[in-house]
Amino acid sequence: EEIEIAHQLALTPQSRSIAPYNLGNVLQAVDLFHNTFFIVIYDPEEDTFIAYYSRNHKWVASVAKLINSFKILANSLRLMFPERFKSEKEFAIAISSGDYPAVSMIECIRHDKLPCVSEELNVAPIFHFGSVFTENIVPSMIAMPMPQGNHLSCYH
């Protein structure tokens, strides 16, 4: 069911299909970032969303934008997919936020060795709240609204 949610959340002009993914595919995305990245898991037993931030990532000021994006996303999912939350299935989504994606592959970008992440890895969709690269640096990254009130609230 996470694939259905991922398809409907994607607000990108690009027409692309989203391959089925699992928690392992979501975890692969962690090492692509050095900060402002959450793994969001829905826990049906507690009927709550939990955001996980890697201990290996720096805690920077822009994490506030990530937290705001997480809160809006959790509320939006409940509004857009109320039937999904009557289910007993958990799901996971990767999100990042900030003025630009805080990816860890700077050398790849500097030397224009695109894409920096092989599509063969089958990394889960990463919903980035903010500006994204115009080049295909991370093929599974999906542009979402900017993480500020007058943009993000329109999505909600």
Side-chain angles (χ1 to χ4, degrees), residues 113-125:
K113 297 178 181 177
L114 307 177
C116 294
V117 178
S118 170
E119 291 187 44
E120 294 172 12
L121 283 179
N122 194 25
V123 175

Side-chain angles (χ1 to χ4, degrees), residues 52-121:
Y52 292 93
Y53 195 82
S54 174
R55 290 181 182 172
N56 296 328
H57 289 179
K58 297 175 188 170
W59 190 269
V60 295
S62 59
V63 171
K65 294 178 180 181
L66 180 63
I67 292 168
N68 189 38
S69 299
F70 164 70
K71 290 176 181 179
I72 295 291
L73 176 65
N75 287 329
S76 295
L77 287 173
R78 288 188 187 281
L79 289 172
M80 291 168 34
F81 307 102
E83 69 287 347
R84 173 61 180 86
F85 299 99
K86 296 174 185 163
S87 163
E88 295 183 6
K89 293 182 181 177
E90 63 183 11
F91 64 87
I93 299 174
I95 69 167
S96 63
S97 187
D99 296 338
Y100 57 89
V103 294
S104 59
M105 67 268 315
I106 301 303
E107 289 304 312
C108 172
I109 297 167
R110 263 191 206 132
H111 299 295
D112 205 22
K113 297 178 181 177
L114 307 177
C116 294
V117 178
S118 170
E119 291 187 44
E120 294 172 12
L121 283 179

Side-chain angles (χ1 to χ4, degrees), residues 2-156:
E2 61 262 66
I3 187 70
E4 177 185 326
I5 290 173
H7 271 294
Q8 293 182 25
L9 278 178
L11 298 177
T12 178
Q14 300 167 340
S15 171
R16 68 171 117 167
S17 64
I18 297 175
Y21 66 91
N22 57 37
L23 183 57
N25 303 124
V26 175
L27 290 170
Q28 285 179 323
V30 174
D31 291 335
L32 302 180
F33 291 81
H34 55 85
N35 64 53
T36 59
F37 176 86
F38 276 160
I39 291 178
V40 176
I41 296 181
Y42 173 70
D43 177 356
E45 282 187 27
E46 298 294 324
D47 188 30
T48 191
F49 288 89
I50 304 165
Y52 292 93
Y53 195 82
S54 174
R55 290 181 182 172
N56 296 328
H57 289 179
K58 297 175 188 170
W59 190 269
V60 295
S62 59
V63 171
K65 294 178 180 181
L66 180 63
I67 292 168
N68 189 38
S69 299
F70 164 70
K71 290 176 181 179
I72 295 291
L73 176 65
N75 287 329
S76 295
L77 287 173
R78 288 188 187 281
L79 289 172
M80 291 168 34
F81 307 102
E83 69 287 347
R84 173 61 180 86
F85 299 99
K86 296 174 185 163
S87 163
E88 295 183 6
K89 293 182 181 177
E90 63 183 11
F91 64 87
I93 299 174
I95 69 167
S96 63
S97 187
D99 296 338
Y100 57 89
V103 294
S104 59
M105 67 268 315
I106 301 303
E107 289 304 312
C108 172
I109 297 167
R110 263 191 206 132
H111 299 295
D112 205 22
K113 297 178 181 177
L114 307 177
C116 294
V117 178
S118 170
E119 291 187 44
E120 294 172 12
L121 283 179
N122 194 25
V123 175
I126 302 164
F127 297 99
H128 181 76
F129 291 85
S131 297
V132 296
F133 302 112
T134 56
E135 299 291 330
N136 194 20
I137 293 170
V138 181
S140 65
M141 187 172 288
I142 297 170
M144 299 298 283
M146 294 298 288
Q148 59 193 53
N150 59 342
H151 291 273
L152 198 53
S153 61
C154 293
Y155 174 70
H156 183 62

